[in-house]
Amino acid sequence: MSPGIDALLEQARAGLHRLTPQQTVEAVRGGALLVDTRTETQRREQGDLPGAIVIDRTVLEWRLDPASAWRIPEATGYDREIVLVCRQGYSSSLAAASLQTLGLRRATDMIGGVDAWLAAGLPTTDRPADIRP
């Protein structure tokens, strides 16, 4: 019998040091990589986050694993701090746990996702999104 998604999510979050939206801003100022995994429709509805790199969830591990032939240039090492964001902070927790399994021990996510970012009054940007296919 399956433990269910709630148990899987709880297990994923147990290994994360999750950040609030304001802590995420501070982490990015300190050099963390902010990665937005929302769909194009969600980004169009909610706006894009300043400084975020957009990576589709389906290729996330390949783009962020420093040993991958398909990595992005910012994937410089396994000690790189990476903060993932999604719409509400659920799928980003599962994705961050997956990155930690790859060895990216400082991967985490933002509590509440972009919904929490907007509720905190933090800005979005009018600049084109930095989309990494």
Side-chain angles (χ1 to χ4, degrees):
M1 182 170 175
S2 170
I5 188 60
D6 291 334
L8 181 63
L9 184 61
E10 184 179 335
Q11 179 183 3
R13 288 179 172 170
L16 303 176
H17 175 72
R18 301 182 76 217
L19 304 178
T20 66
Q22 190 57 46
Q23 289 170 322
T24 298
V25 170
E26 294 303 317
V28 171
R29 284 185 187 146
L33 186 62
L34 182 61
V35 177
D36 189 343
T37 63
R38 292 176 298 148
T39 66
E40 180 181 351
T41 300
Q42 290 171 336
R43 291 192 335 272
R44 189 173 42 250
E45 290 171 1
Q46 293 182 301
D48 288 304
L49 303 184
I53 293 174
V54 177
I55 301 176
D56 190 273
R57 177 64 189 98
T58 60
V59 295
L60 187 70
E61 288 82 358
W62 287 269
R63 299 299 179 261
L64 295 177
D65 181 357
S68 170
W70 301 280
R71 72 185 174 278
I72 62 172
E74 293 84 355
T76 55
Y78 290 100
D79 285 337
R80 180 82 195 253
E81 184 176 13
I82 299 171
V83 182
L84 301 178
V85 297
C86 66
R87 186 178 191 119
Q88 296 177 322
Y90 294 99
S91 64
S92 58
S93 293
L94 298 174
S98 177
L99 292 179
Q100 284 192 354
T101 300
L102 279 175
L104 293 159
R105 63 178 185 79
R106 295 181 68 201
T108 191
D109 75 324
M110 186 173 71
I111 300 165
V114 177
D115 283 354
W117 178 281
L118 296 172
L122 294 170
T124 57
T125 183
D126 292 336
R127 293 183 179 187
D130 184 357
I131 300 172
R132 306 296 177 92

